[in-house]
Amino acid sequence: MRPLSERPSTRTSMRQALVAGSLASLLSAGALALAGRRENRSAAAPVNAVSHWYWGNSALRRQGTVTRHTLVGYLIHHGASLFWAGLHARAVRQIAALRTPTGMVVGCVSTAAIACFVDFRLTPSRLTPGFEHRLSRPALAGVYAAFAVGLAAGSLLAGAVARDPASAGRDE
């Protein structure tokens, strides 16, 4: 591990974004599927809804697994997850406090909260996630919580948490 004061390289930040974004995407897509199954009797419906970016509003009504909607919806969701993970990785690179365990958790929860705010308050309706048309607010909160957990777990796996500078001289 690097000392806390050492800034991660661009390559390390890119790896963190890829790993953390992918894990966040998988966990939040899993939350979408579970909530969709519970609320719509279709695990695919919320993921299909994301494809409204490409297919228009008809995607918001798709129930079952349909390759053109489900695959496109997941790919858009995955790309958005990588985008937010990239912004988070950049913040981790710039702010040493985000490289501590507590800072990492706070940063991941903050990133998920900002993503939620941007998705539903600042984004034009044509570019919202779409799954808000299929899920309740509590389910949406669960999706963004799963995103934060995936982002944190992926960041830890990618080595985004540095060791404490006080322990730099000790053997581990």
Side-chain angles (χ1 to χ4, degrees):
M1 283 189 166
R2 299 174 310 281
L4 182 60
S5 59
E6 186 179 314
R7 189 175 187 188
S9 68
T10 301
R11 184 180 176 136
T12 300
S13 294
M14 289 174 61
R15 186 180 77 240
Q16 177 195 344
L18 181 62
V19 171
S22 295
L23 193 52
S25 174
L26 288 170
L27 288 182
S28 57
L32 284 170
L34 289 172
R37 185 90 169 137
R38 186 177 58 250
E39 296 183 3
N40 296 280
R41 290 190 232 148
S42 170
V47 178
N48 290 341
V50 178
S51 73
H52 82 105
W53 279 27
Y54 189 76
W55 298 115
N57 287 341
S58 66
L60 300 173
R61 297 181 294 280
R62 287 283 171 219
Q63 274 295 102
T65 303
V66 181
T67 302
R68 71 184 231 159
H69 290 287
T70 310
L71 180 61
V72 169
Y74 181 73
L75 291 175
I76 292 168
H77 175 72
H78 191 80
S81 297
L82 292 175
F83 169 78
W84 288 108
L87 292 180
H88 174 74
R90 182 177 171 95
V92 168
R93 187 165 189 240
Q94 300 295 323
I95 304 167
L98 295 177
R99 295 191 291 271
T100 67
T102 302
M104 182 60 60
V105 170
V106 169
C108 291
V109 169
S110 298
T111 299
I114 292 166
C116 182
F117 179 78
V118 169
D119 284 349
F120 300 122
R121 296 290 182 221
L122 301 181
T123 303
S125 62
R126 177 79 169 123
L127 299 176
T128 64
F131 49 72
E132 72 277 10
H133 295 279
R134 302 304 304 253
L135 300 176
S136 65
R137 285 185 184 236
L140 293 175
V143 169
Y144 283 90
F147 178 82
V149 169
L151 192 60
S155 295
L156 290 171
L157 283 173
V161 175
R163 74 175 166 216
D164 188 90
S167 67
R170 296 193 303 233
D171 290 331
E172 295 180 7

